[in-house]
Amino acid sequence: MHKETLYLTFLELFQNQFSPEDEKSILALVEKHHAADLASVMDQLEPDQAAHVLRCMQTVKQAEVFGYLSASVQQTLVDQLDIHQITRIISAMDADDRADFYNNLDSEHQQAILPGLAQAEREDIRKLSSYAEGTVGAIMTSDYAALPLNLTAAQCIERLRHEAPDKETIYHAFVIDGERRLLGVVSLKDLILSKPGTPVAALMNTDVISINARDPQSEAARKIAKYDLLALPVINGDDKLAGIVTHDDAMDVAEAEATEDIHRMGGVSHKSPGLSNVNMLEASTWLIVQKRIPWLLVLVFMNIFSGAGIAYFEDTIEAVVALVFFLPLLIDSGGNAGSQSSTLMIRALATGRAHMKDWFRLLGKEVGVALVLGVGMAVAVSAIGIFRAGPEVAAVVAMTMVCTVLFGSLVGMSLPFILSRLKMDPATASAPLITSIADIGGVLIYFSIATWFLRDMIVAAGG
């Protein structure tokens, strides 16, 4: 059943007085659908309706669905459910989802929920919640499969068979010593295919790719993508195994990072709460304004310099009015070239395909590329310049086109490197910022060339 159809079915049921048959209908519906689909439908229901659907589910299904709900919907449902229902759901959730949900609660709900949890679950929540937002520790799970070094392949399989229901993944198990130091990793495939008596020490891979719990989340996503891992082991300061980051969590991090970068590149503030996780149809007007207005205000005042540049060359403009016709074309071309260059460099830095040491090498390449682009665009606009204002203005437009494209491209390429050097996010070199800098430079370049090249026409007009 399509999600939209499922939503309409729920609405139809809620229009009438609920009967035991309706309760059975909801239970049958939720059992047929994936938790992610149910969560997306429940996001659209009224809070009391979503809570009613949740109550009709088995506890395991409740936990699965709850993990897919947005933080805002989770918080709303907390107010609809009693504390015992919430405690049961939390107990059944995956460790990382449980910690995320706990962190999103206010202190009053946190204090109310903790006493109802088992000691192990309380300690697990406290441990995972102790890591700062944005670090690997904040997204790792403690539900991993660990094996001691003294087992055989058959013993490992038997142990994994008993532990599987409570683990995030068993496709890779991590071999540890008595102090939980990470010694190696062994795949379930190798355990199954080997002889029963083979020691796990002979099967494990000791060259383990791992990450520190204090490292940034983006580094975990990068390593999982680079080495094609299902799970990345996380170690703490003592090199002891603290948890794992799974492939699906890395995808969530990558999506969040991409969303944040796109917001920055569009000149949208990423510090205002919540927009990256909210459907644009659900986001309030004020929230969207908060996200967009900071950069727009900064750019408004930056563009004053463009106006000042135009005012400075007032005599040139009065003498050759035709120059104004080409002004938008030229400065927009510089901004567009800069935005292209900036996007390519930000992507290269983000994926690790470019580093600070490559700046000068890439700078030389960008000069060559920008000159070719500028000359090509100059030839294209020259014909318009001759037709519109004569050969003299056409020459000015052609020279300016080459210079503005070169200037915009170099600014667009260099700014991400400069920001990286200053330990700032390169994505802050947003398209609006590049465009504004290119606009200011384009105005100064254009009218400086015009004043120099057309000086005889300007003097004659002034006389």
Side-chain angles (χ1 to χ4, degrees), residues 88-108:
R88 284 199 302 271
I89 292 172
I90 291 179
S91 298
M93 291 174 73
D94 292 334
D96 51 343
D97 291 336
R98 184 166 54 217
D100 290 341
F101 171 56
Y102 179 81
N103 286 334
N104 289 328
L105 292 175
D106 55 46
S107 58
E108 182 181 348

Side-chain angles (χ1 to χ4, degrees), residues 255-266:
E255 180 184 357
E257 291 282 332
T259 300
E260 191 172 289
D261 286 349
I262 290 170
H263 283 183
R264 286 196 182 102
M265 291 178 67

Side-chain angles (χ1 to χ4, degrees), residues 151-433:
L151 298 184
T152 64
Q155 291 170 328
C156 288
I157 292 173
E158 186 62 26
R159 182 165 182 153
L160 291 175
R161 182 180 290 112
H162 287 93
E163 292 186 357
D166 300 321
K167 302 305 178 187
E168 186 90 4
T169 177
I170 60 168
Y171 296 113
H172 288 90
F174 301 97
V175 183
I176 56 176
D177 63 14
E179 297 183 357
R180 302 198 67 80
R181 280 192 290 265
L182 182 61
L183 303 177
V185 60
V186 61
S187 69
L188 181 61
K189 177 182 177 181
D190 288 341
L191 291 173
I192 293 173
L193 294 179
S194 63
K195 294 181 179 180
T198 306
V200 70
L203 298 172
M204 71 179 186
N205 177 15
T206 56
D207 185 20
V208 185
I209 306 298
S210 63
I211 193 168
N212 192 280
R214 307 290 177 184
D215 287 345
Q217 295 176 0
S218 56
E219 181 64 15
R222 189 190 68 80
K223 283 191 173 184
I224 287 177
K226 180 179 180 179
Y227 298 104
D228 197 21
L229 303 174
L230 289 176
L232 176 68
V234 181
I235 58 174
N236 58 25
D238 300 324
D239 291 333
K240 296 179 181 178
L241 186 60
I244 61 171
V245 176
T246 55
H247 189 271
D248 58 326
D249 290 326
M251 289 178 63
D252 291 340
V253 170
E255 180 184 357
E257 291 282 332
T259 300
E260 191 172 289
D261 286 349
I262 290 170
H263 283 183
R264 286 196 182 102
M265 291 178 67
V268 178
S269 171
H270 64 286
K271 294 181 180 178
S272 300
L275 191 61
S276 61
N277 296 319
V278 175
N279 187 303
M280 286 299 292
L281 293 173
E282 300 173 358
S284 68
T285 300
W286 177 239
L287 178 59
I288 297 174
V289 169
Q290 284 181 292
K291 296 283 285 186
R292 295 176 61 179
I293 200 169
W295 265 112
L296 290 177
L297 288 175
V298 170
L299 297 176
V300 162
F301 288 102
M302 283 189 64
N303 288 331
I304 289 175
F305 291 102
S306 298
I310 294 173
Y312 181 80
F313 292 101
E314 185 176 350
D315 292 341
T316 301
I317 295 171
E318 287 181 355
V320 189
V321 178
L323 292 171
V324 177
F325 175 81
F326 298 96
L327 180 60
L329 180 151
L330 292 168
I331 62 175
D332 283 353
S333 296
N336 291 338
S339 296
Q340 281 187 336
S341 180
S342 172
T343 300
L344 293 173
M345 288 305 105
I346 290 171
R347 177 62 181 167
L349 288 169
T351 56
R353 295 175 182 174
H355 304 86
M356 285 300 302
K357 61 183 176 63
D358 302 318
W359 187 356
F360 289 108
R361 180 183 172 191
L362 290 171
L363 190 67
K365 179 179 289 188
E366 188 64 23
V367 169
V369 170
L371 286 174
V372 172
L373 293 174
V375 169
M377 296 169 71
V379 171
V381 300
S382 293
I384 301 174
I386 294 172
F387 173 77
R388 183 70 175 78
E392 293 86 356
V393 173
V396 170
V397 171
M399 286 187 287
T400 303
M401 180 63 79
V402 175
C403 293
T404 55
V405 170
L406 178 61
F407 174 75
S409 297
L410 294 183
V411 169
M413 192 220 75
S414 300
L415 205 52
F417 281 99
I418 294 171
L419 293 172
S420 293
R421 184 68 181 225
L422 297 174
K423 307 299 182 183
M424 297 172 64
D425 194 326
T428 305
S430 60
L433 176 59

